[in-house]
């Protein structure tokens, strides 16, 4: 990593820390997010081309305000301070920050000095997102003001000699027009980056490094059919071919036909050494009578590991075990962990009893969208690369109450019809996650001349970017009507279909 052209994002508890890192990468420059109190030695070791201070909720006047080592200003490395980052920089270098009495929030026209290297190519009046209380009232000596608005006379500062820049607004969010251009200008005009971060070079470099590290040794991977483990599998296969064995534990809780599709892609398209374990009966017997969602998750997570271990034992000692960890899992932002609403037991957790010497995490530097780009680069079909997220415990948490084979089949068939109709209508790209839920509710219906007493099925679809919050999707009524009518006609034991119109919060995306 030391030799890679890198920009360090120093996180002062910003809600946008990952967004800034992704924007930098979209400009073809590799970035890492580090906590604000990262030791200066570590930053020197990375030898970054530039440093970005994020925003954050603190005021420089608070006693416990986050502050980084001020040595950072002596490294001769360009710095861009955003919002709190600009206030921290100004305060540290002798400027004056004043406490505002009310927050300025919203999209605000800002006058830019377009002869500044970071505003090159922008219009003189640019709409930017402001979100701050404190203000810089006096710039440190050697600095100039390069942006201002009606309520904020110092909305941007620069010291061209030191290559230090500050922005009171947020260039990383979409609400700031041409925000990415400002970040790009900082990277190329100020930090003089050359833009070497491309997924094609990531693939080539990873293959080279994996070959070097693994040599002629054996590698084991737990394949779930999800995007991360699939991309990791194909990347390793390209690097070491048959030295890789993938174990695909099919717990029977995947969507209709999915197990066969996964097998087909990996065995036939890529000729990967694949062991498929059909363990549906085993999982269903462990889950029999269990109604508590957290218990279901725990049982599935643990059983998955047991099955994986048993299969791995048959192979004997392996040298490496692959984990599909991605970058958001490894960022240490210093933020407190939020309360646990659901424990996300991801299939593919770390087994205790598999004989391996070392773990390999080939995707640990990548954001999710970069994992997808890598997948396309490797020739994995679009249908898999752009698959909607699917929870590790699968359909078990979409059957409310206890799980039986019969309920599972009902849900698989109904869910398949929903997905088929969405795809026929070409709506798939607009909806971020959509699925059916088998409620535990039975109600009276009439079919032909007969009374029925059968299950109610719920359809759920959400639009979201981060899955932390979501709004219910406005699927056209005519599509919902077709789905509902097909489901009650084609799937036995469903006589009523409802559509979930709750956003998150207060609801969660999954029903369990
Ligand atoms: P919720 O229901 O918490 O879901 O709003 C947010 C996202 O997480 C997925 N999800 C899970 N993923 N294991 C997973 O791997 C789980 O136990 C789990 N529970 C929810 C859910 O599908 C949505 O994308």
């Amino acid at each position: 990593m030391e030799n890679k052209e890198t920009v360090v994002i120093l996180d002062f508890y910003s809600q946008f820390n990952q967004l800034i890192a992704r924007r930098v990468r979209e400009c073809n420059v590799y970035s890492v997010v580090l906590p604000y109190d990262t030791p200066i030695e570590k930053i020197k070791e990375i030898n970054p081309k530039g440093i970005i201070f994020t925003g954050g909720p603190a005021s420089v006047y608070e006693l416990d305000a986050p502050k980084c080592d001020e040595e950072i200003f002596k490294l001769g490395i360009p710095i861009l301070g955003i919002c709190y980052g600009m206030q921290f920089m100004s305060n540290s270098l002798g400027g004056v920050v004043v406490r505002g009495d009310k927050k300025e929030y919203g999209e605000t026209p800002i006058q830019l000095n377009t002869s500044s290297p970071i505003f090159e190519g922008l219009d003189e009046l640019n709409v930017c997102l402001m979100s701050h209380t404190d203000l810089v009232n006096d710039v440190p000596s050697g600095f100039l003001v390069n942006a201002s608005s009606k309520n904020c006379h110092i909305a941007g500062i620069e010291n061209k000699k030191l290559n230090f820049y500050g922005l009171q607004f947020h260039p990383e969010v979409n609400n700031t027009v041409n925000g990415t251009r400002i970040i790009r200008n900082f990277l190329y005009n100020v930090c003089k980056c050359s833009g070497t971060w491309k997924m094609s070079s990531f693939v080539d470099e990873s293959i080279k490094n994996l070959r070097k590290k693994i040599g002629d040794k054996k590698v084991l991977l737990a394949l779930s059919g999800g995007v991360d483990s699939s991309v990791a599998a194909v990347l390793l296969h390209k690097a070491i071919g048959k030295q890789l064995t993938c174990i695909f534990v099919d717990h029977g809780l995947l969507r209709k036909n999915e197990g066969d599709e996964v097998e087909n892609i990996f065995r036939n398209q890529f000729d990967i050494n694949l062991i498929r374990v059909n363990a549906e009966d085993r999982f269903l017997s462990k889950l029999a009578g269990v109604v508590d969602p957290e218990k279901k998750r725990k049982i599935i997570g643990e059983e998955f590991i047991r099955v994986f271990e048993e299969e791995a034992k048959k192979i004997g000692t392996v040298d490496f075990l692959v984990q599909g960890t991605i970058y958001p899992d490894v960022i240490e932002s210093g933020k407190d962990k939020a309360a646990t609403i659901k424990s996300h037991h991801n299939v593919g957790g770390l087994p205790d009893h598999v004989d391996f010497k070392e773990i390999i995490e080939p995707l640990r530097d990548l954001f999710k969208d970069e994992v997808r780009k890598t997948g396309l680069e490797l020739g994995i079909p679009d249908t898999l690369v752009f698959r909607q997220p699917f929870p590790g415990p699968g359909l078990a948490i979409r059957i409310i109450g206890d799980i039986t084979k019969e309920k599972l089949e009902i849900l698989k068939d109904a869910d398949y019809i929903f997905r088929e109709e969405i795809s026929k209508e070409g709506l798939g790209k607009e909806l971020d996650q959509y699925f059916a839920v088998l409620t535990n509710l039975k109600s009276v219906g009439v079919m032909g001349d007969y009374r029925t007493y059968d299950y109610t099925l719920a359809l759920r679809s959400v639009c979201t970017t981060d899955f932390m919050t979501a709004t219910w999707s406005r699927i056209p009524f005519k599509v919902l009507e077709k789905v509902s009518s097909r489901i009650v006609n084609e799937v036995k034991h469903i006589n009523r279909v409802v559509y979930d119109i709750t956003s998150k919060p207060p609801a969660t995306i999954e029903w369990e």
Side-chain angles (χ1 to χ4, degrees), residues 297 341-347 389-393 397-398 433 435 467-468 504 507-512:
R297 283 192 168 81
I341 310 292
K342 298 177 187 186
S343 59
H344 284 198
H345 279 279
N346 280 323
V347 168
F390 186 68
I397 55 165
R398 293 179 181 170
Q433 200 171 3
F435 52 88
F467 297 87
M468 309 281 281
K504 173 184 177 179
T508 52
I509 296 174
E510 303 287 349
W511 275 36
E512 284 200 334

Side-chain angles (χ1 to χ4, degrees), residues 486-506:
R486 274 196 63 194
I487 289 175
V488 288
N489 280 300
E490 294 174 37
V491 184
K492 252 185 158 176
H493 300 301
I494 293 178
N495 66 356
R496 192 178 295 272
V497 176
V498 295
Y499 186 52
D500 182 349
I501 52 165
T502 338
S503 290
K504 173 184 177 179

